[in-house]
Amino acid sequence: MRATRSKPTEGRTGREEETQMDGLTPCLHVRRTNGRIDTRTSTMASAEVVWGCVRNNSSFLRKGVNGTQFAAEPGNLTHRNSFKCSGLANSKTIDIKEGEDGLVVTKKTGPANKPKQATSSTKVPCRGSLTIKEATKQTAGYRGDLKKAARIRASAICKSLRVKKANRTK
């Protein structure tokens, strides 16, 4: 890795300089202030690097019978431990959960270094096939490869929310 130094920016006080490290994706910017390194301005690592770290070592990892691995992380629709479905490694994730009056579809929309501001939620009421169409519509323009998984997850949650009618005996 090679470091290049830039000139101090106007408006800064003290001895401050920025260092740009080549070879990382995306480029890592580190600010040095009076000999101390400030990492608040750095960006997150690439999805492949995060997946390499999280793949076998995660608090969300659940191991099943016959060597199967499942993941209980938010943003994982199928709960499989794979790069495609990972809610931690991917920059675009979709999560469908049970809400008060139906489903809540959550998407990652903002920067990864601000997790609270990085999500947007949409409430979808459970109304049979209309719910499944709405969940598919939310997924189609965002991540088309998870369209089928979103449809299956939405129908399973709506089925679990149905109340059975009591049988009356005469």
Side-chain angles (χ1 to χ4, degrees):
M1 245 186 278
R2 185 184 54 169
T4 58
R5 294 192 177 195
S6 61
K7 296 179 182 177
T9 312
E10 293 179 19
R12 296 193 182 177
T13 59
R15 209 182 98 220
E16 297 180 356
E17 56 191 32
E18 286 187 8
T19 305
Q20 181 178 354
M21 307 289 273
D22 292 335
L24 294 177
T25 305
C27 198
L28 177 67
H29 295 280
V30 179
R31 181 191 294 170
R32 294 176 185 242
T33 307
N34 296 330
R36 294 189 340 236
I37 296 175
D38 184 13
T39 58
R40 285 181 289 171
T41 58
S42 65
T43 58
M44 300 299 288
S46 67
E48 289 80 15
V49 172
V50 173
W51 175 245
C53 297
V54 172
R55 180 179 54 201
N56 293 323
N57 302 315
S58 172
S59 63
F60 299 109
L61 192 62
R62 308 288 186 260
K63 295 189 178 183
V65 295
N66 298 329
T68 56
Q69 291 184 345
F70 299 101
E73 61 203 23
N76 190 338
L77 283 177
T78 60
H79 293 294
R80 277 188 262 158
N81 190 30
S82 67
F83 177 72
K84 174 186 170 184
C85 303
S86 177
L88 298 174
N90 288 317
S91 59
K92 289 185 172 185
T93 62
I94 297 175
D95 194 19
I96 300 177
K97 292 186 178 181
E98 175 184 339
E100 293 178 10
D101 299 327
L103 302 176
V104 177
V105 180
T106 307
K107 298 179 190 177
K108 272 190 190 176
T109 56
N113 60 351
K114 296 180 182 178
K116 190 172 184 180
Q117 299 171 358
T119 59
S120 69
S121 298
T122 306
K123 293 181 181 179
V124 180
C126 279
R127 295 186 198 144
S129 63
L130 292 176
T131 304
I132 298 167
K133 286 180 184 177
E134 182 64 29
T136 307
K137 181 180 167 186
Q138 292 279 334
T139 308
Y142 191 67
R143 285 227 13 214
D145 59 332
L146 295 177
K147 195 182 339 181
K148 184 178 178 183
R151 189 175 30 223
I152 291 169
R153 180 99 170 152
S155 65
I157 291 174
C158 284
K159 187 177 179 181
S160 71
L161 291 176
R162 286 188 208 140
V163 179
K164 288 187 175 182
K165 294 181 181 179
N167 292 335
R168 289 191 194 180
T169 58
K170 292 184 179 181

